[in-house]
Amino acid sequence: MNFSSIENDFAQFHIKDGVMFFTYKPDIEIDLDGAKRIVADRLKLQGEATYPVVCDIRGLKGVNKAARDYLANEGSEKVKVVALIVASPGLKIMTDFYLMVNKPTVPTKIFTSEDQAIKYIASL
């Protein structure tokens, strides 16, 4: 089993069985500098490989417009597909807005559990 990980002030990332798992820390707000740090650390962890991503955003408090724009475009580098995990109705609304307005450059869907997200990634 392939397993490696990294952590920064915003999130924890690990690669397991060919999938990048990404979990935001609780009550995190992301600005453009934070978004750039997150993407740089993710790319450092994955090297030249491209991965599907399961991204747990349940702890996320907010993301400003510049950060959303960056994550939707440059943030999709070396990513095949993204499965976002949300919990609260408010976070789902915020995430729907992100998908509609920022239009990520890779297929991105919203789920309410890690199991659903993993099944989606495995079905591709």
Side-chain angles (χ1 to χ4, degrees):
M1 174 171 31
N2 179 12
F3 187 89
S4 52
S5 65
I6 194 168
E7 182 174 344
N8 63 27
D9 293 340
F10 303 96
Q12 298 170 324
F13 318 76
H14 70 273
I15 299 168
K16 181 177 177 188
D17 299 331
V19 177
M20 167 79 64
F21 290 86
F22 188 112
T23 304
Y24 281 103
K25 294 184 176 179
D27 297 320
I28 289 295
E29 292 197 35
I30 300 171
D31 60 9
L32 181 57
D33 288 339
K36 288 180 177 180
R37 170 76 188 278
I38 289 162
V39 172
D41 284 348
R42 179 184 56 78
L43 290 171
K44 187 186 322 174
L45 174 63
Q46 68 188 85
E48 293 302 311
T50 299
Y51 290 97
V53 174
V54 173
C55 186
D56 185 340
I57 62 171
R58 291 178 281 197
L60 198 57
K61 192 172 186 181
V63 183
N64 74 18
K65 183 183 181 330
R68 285 193 311 269
D69 291 344
Y70 183 83
L71 291 170
N73 294 291
E74 290 88 342
S76 297
E77 182 182 346
K78 295 186 181 172
V79 172
K80 292 178 184 175
V81 61
V82 177
L84 297 169
I85 304 170
V86 302
S88 71
L91 187 56
K92 176 151 183 352
I93 290 168
M94 184 175 82
T95 307
D96 282 335
F97 177 81
Y98 165 74
L99 295 179
M100 186 175 57
V101 172
N102 298 100
K103 298 180 178 27
T105 59
V106 298
T108 304
K109 286 186 74 172
I110 302 169
F111 299 91
T112 55
S113 78
E114 186 172 297
D115 285 346
Q116 291 173 330
I118 291 169
K119 284 179 186 168
Y120 168 67
I121 296 276
S123 74
L124 300 175

